[in-house]
Structures are given as structure tokens and as C-alpha cells.
Amino acid sequence: MPPEIHLIAAARPNLPKLAALLHALAEAPSFCTPVMVHTGQHHDAAMFGGHLADLGLPPPEVALGISGGGHASVTGRTMMACADLWSTRRPALVVVAGDVDGTLAAAIAARKLAIPVAHLEAGLRCREMDMPEEINRRAVDAISTLLWAPDKATAARLLADGHAPHAVCAVGNTMIDSLLRVLPAARARKLPAGLEAGTYGVLTIHRPANVDSPAALAALLQAVAEAARQLPLAWPIHPRTSQRLSEFGFAVPAGVMPLPPLGYLDFLGLLSRARMVATDSGGVQEEAWALNLPCLTLRPSTERPVTLEAGTNRLLPAAGLPAAIAAILAGDRARARPIPLWDGKAGVRMVAHLAAFLGAIRDPAPARWPFPLGGLA
Ligand code: UDP
């Protein structure tokens, strides 16, 4: 039996990234046995189960059942559950994706047991050190054995940070692999009743900086209300945001269609036929590029600057939303410029790097080096 590698699935945005690797592994000659480990961070059908099915993935083989609680609680309990699992079922490598708490927890637990870690989506930086995701991604990069970067500039920065050349690989963007794979099926999905292609915008908001304080959320809702007078907005509301809306007693503005969190295919179906998207999501900024869709990112910075350079994405404060939508409706928009390696083949590149690494662990003959045994030299 080829050695096991454990893929950590914690939250919704992990799934399209891991799916790209799992589908590429399924199409390659078998050299490892992938096992999906679900930490439990997102766990219901709307945020997890339905996405597995939409991405053509089977249910996870291992479920750790860790959900609820703050950052420290989730991270600590997930580390303990991973360590328990790996004390009896030790994989040859652990793959963690993105920047959620489960990603950090699994990476630390693995490295403390001297298990190599591959970070899928390594090297992203927004330099906002108050963002939980920025803390997680920097910490995970610092201890990862293999670092799979989405583009060449990001890989170059990891090398400049001192990571070994054989550890870093610019594999491309796994979100684009998954999007391209499902796009025909997504486009065939019915739009929510009342929406017609090309006549609405999409809104997604869930970052703590935008929704966790009454002042920030009120300012955002005011801008959204004004924007919706020009273009109706469809708003699939993230559970965190729903919770804050009801805690603060805020209503969804007129002209905005509230929707539950959508399945992956339904969401991409909605996005692919929209006029624009306003968001604070990382993945949506990338998907907008692939769909050549104007994206207004309601944040002061982005860890995905290539999407700014490619012309589809713009950063702005919430107050700038109405004017920015007016400009888009008046025809002020750039066509997406190409981004090298965002071509649907990131999974294949990860598989090649992984095969070389596992080969070097199993057969540490000089010819198979430079991979160091067990992790970073
Ligand atoms: N997404 C979805 N349904 C929704 C909103 C988003 O399937 O109602 C998908 C979206 O297509 C993208 C991913 O969720 O693939 C992004 O996740 P999220 O915004 O939660 O996290 P981030 O990318 O900011 O880490």
C-alpha cells in the first residue's frame, strides 16, 4: 500500500484547493494514498457537505469533530485531536491549505511530531497583522516543509525569506483548477427566482473587520443600501455575518436579495452571470479574475495583489462602493489580463513536486536529493 498523506479540510475555502490536488492525484499513477481529515470547523451541509458533493469529493475518511469556540479553543483542540490521530496512524506527509485555524493547528501538530507538512497556497501576505488569517499563514509558512505558491512573485518572496529552493514550488492557483472544472455545470444552474443574468451584482462579506463591530457593519450596510439603488445586489450571507446582523438588530437594506450561504455550483453560477461583485473574500477575488468580472474588494489590502495587477480587482473602503458601482455601470472596467500559472494545472504541478519529495524520503540515494529527510534542513 503506498504511504498515506493526510489532507486537512477545516472550512469551506479549503475544499476547492484540496479538490484540485485530490483530482490530480486520482489521475496520476498511484504513489501515495490520500486521506481527507475533516477537523469540523465548518461542518453543516451549507458550509461543508454540499461543497464536497459539488466538487466531486467523497465524505472525509476521518472526522475529528472539533467545532465551535474562539480561535484559541479551536486551534488547541484541533492540535490535540491531530496529535491523537497521528500517534496511531502516522502519515508520510500532511497537506494543509490556506489560512484558517485548522490549517495552523494541523501544521503545528504535524511538525511537532516530525511529520513533513506541505502548505497549499503558501506565501500570501497582506501585511495586516491584526487579521487572524495573516497570522495563520505566516506561522504555517514558517514551519512548512513544502511550500506551494500560487504565482512566481509569491514563490520568489518565499525564497527571499530564506526557504530552500527545493521546498518552494510555484504551482499556480488551485481555486482556478476547481472553478474551470465545474464552470459548465455551474453555468447550467438556475439563478435564484427574481434574478436575470447581467442585471445584478453579488455581495459577500464575512471578515471580522467588516462585520464584528456595530459601527463597521452599519457603515457597510449604509453603503450597500445606496449602491443597491443603482444595481440590485444578491447577498449570500455567511453564517458569521447573519449572526452579527441579528446580534446588532440590523436589517438587510432594500434592493438587496438576502440568500443563504450557497453551494459551490450555485454560487459560481450566480457569480458567472453577475455585472460585478463586492466582497471581502480571498477566493472570490480570484474567481472574479477567472470570470473576467469586476471585483470591488472592501478591504484596505489584499494578499492577492496579482488580481489588482490583472485589472479585475480594486480595493476600496465601503463608503466608495456606490461611486465604484456607478463607474462600472457606465462602462469603466478593464478586461482581465492573463496571470501566468492560473491555468487549471496547479494540481498536476503539486503532484509532481509531491512525488519527487516522497520519492526522496523513501529512497534517500544521493541522486534523489536535494529533498531533506523529514522536513526542513
Ligand atoms: N462560496 C460559496 N458559497 C457562498 C459564498 C462563497 O460556495 O455563498 C465559495 C466561493 O466560490 C469560494 C469560497 O467559497 O470558492 C470562498 O470562501 P470564503 O469567502 O468563505 O473564504 P476566503 O476565500 O475568504 O478564505
Side-chain angles (χ1 to χ4, degrees):
M1 184 79 160
E4 284 191 358
I5 63 165
H6 288 190
L7 283 69
I8 307 300
R12 174 174 75 181
N14 296 151
L15 293 177
K17 307 183 214 297
L18 295 178
L21 177 59
L22 282 164
H23 287 308
L25 281 170
E27 283 157 21
S30 164
F31 62 90
C32 66
T33 308
V35 173
M36 200 198 286
V37 177
H38 179 208
T39 68
Q41 195 170 330
H42 284 165
H43 48 85
D44 60 7
M47 294 299 283
F48 196 84
H51 293 258
L52 288 172
D54 279 1
L55 285 155
L57 298 177
E61 202 172 308
V62 180
L64 301 179
I66 310 294
S67 68
H71 291 296
S73 166
V74 171
T75 308
R77 288 181 294 139
T78 306
M79 281 175 65
M80 289 163 71
C82 285
D84 278 351
L85 169 68
W86 295 330
S87 67
T88 54
R89 186 172 178 180
R90 188 184 171 89
L93 175 118
V94 169
V95 178
V96 296
D99 51 26
V100 298
D101 289 337
T103 303
L104 174 67
I108 295 176
R111 294 299 292 142
K112 291 282 176 91
L113 293 169
I115 299 169
V117 168
H119 187 198
L120 191 170
E121 199 182 72
L124 300 194
R125 298 288 181 268
C126 69
R127 300 191 168 75
E128 283 179 64
M129 287 310 298
D130 290 335
M131 261 181 83
E133 296 88 344
E134 182 74 358
I135 297 167
N136 290 347
R137 56 174 85 101
R138 283 175 185 249
V140 173
D141 282 345
I143 59 173
S144 288
T145 319
L146 302 182
L147 298 102
W148 292 330
D151 57 71
K152 288 198 169 151
T154 302
R157 198 179 42 247
L158 287 168
L159 294 175
D161 283 350
H163 292 283
H166 54 270
V168 177
C169 187
V171 295
N173 191 325
T174 53
M175 296 293 284
I176 307 300
D177 284 32
S178 285
L179 178 142
L180 294 178
R181 192 178 182 95
V182 305
L183 196 52
R187 285 202 162 118
R189 289 292 173 122
K190 274 204 178 126
L191 289 172
L195 290 182
E196 272 183 44
T199 63
Y200 63 88
V202 174
L203 175 68
T204 83
I205 293 291
H206 69 286
R207 296 269 164 251
N210 279 330
V211 304
D212 276 4
S213 82
L217 190 52
L220 190 118
L221 290 174
Q222 195 186 333
V224 165
E226 208 182 312
R229 281 185 220 119
Q230 309 169 59
L231 182 68
L233 296 174
W235 185 10
I237 308 184
H238 190 282
R240 173 189 198 92
T241 310
S242 294
Q243 206 183 327
R244 297 293 177 263
L245 286 171
S246 57
E247 259 172 53
F248 304 152
F250 292 162
V252 172
V256 179
M257 179 188 282
L259 296 168
L262 298 180
Y264 184 63
L265 292 178
D266 284 334
F267 181 74
L268 289 181
L270 181 76
L271 203 60
S272 66
R273 283 166 282 180
R275 284 292 296 269
M276 51 74 61
V277 60
T279 190
D280 59 8
S281 158
V284 172
Q285 294 173 56
E286 300 173 330
E287 291 164 345
W289 170 83
L291 297 169
N292 191 29
L293 183 71
C295 178
L296 303 174
T297 296
L298 303 172
R299 287 179 44 195
S301 70
T302 178
E303 56 292 316
R304 285 137 167 117
V306 284
T307 57
L308 303 176
E309 292 149 23
T312 44
N313 194 10
R314 228 187 105 185
L315 302 177
L316 76 171
L321 191 59
I325 290 186
I328 291 168
L329 294 178
D332 176 17
R333 52 156 309 181
R335 282 201 74 75
R337 286 188 281 279
I339 303 178
L341 300 178
W342 290 27
D343 56 0
K345 301 198 175 87
V348 174
R349 297 188 193 97
M350 288 188 291
V351 167
H353 199 228
L354 186 59
F357 177 74
L358 293 179
I361 287 187
R362 275 145 62 100
D363 174 16
R368 308 296 298 259
W369 287 74
F371 283 115
L373 277 175
L376 283 172

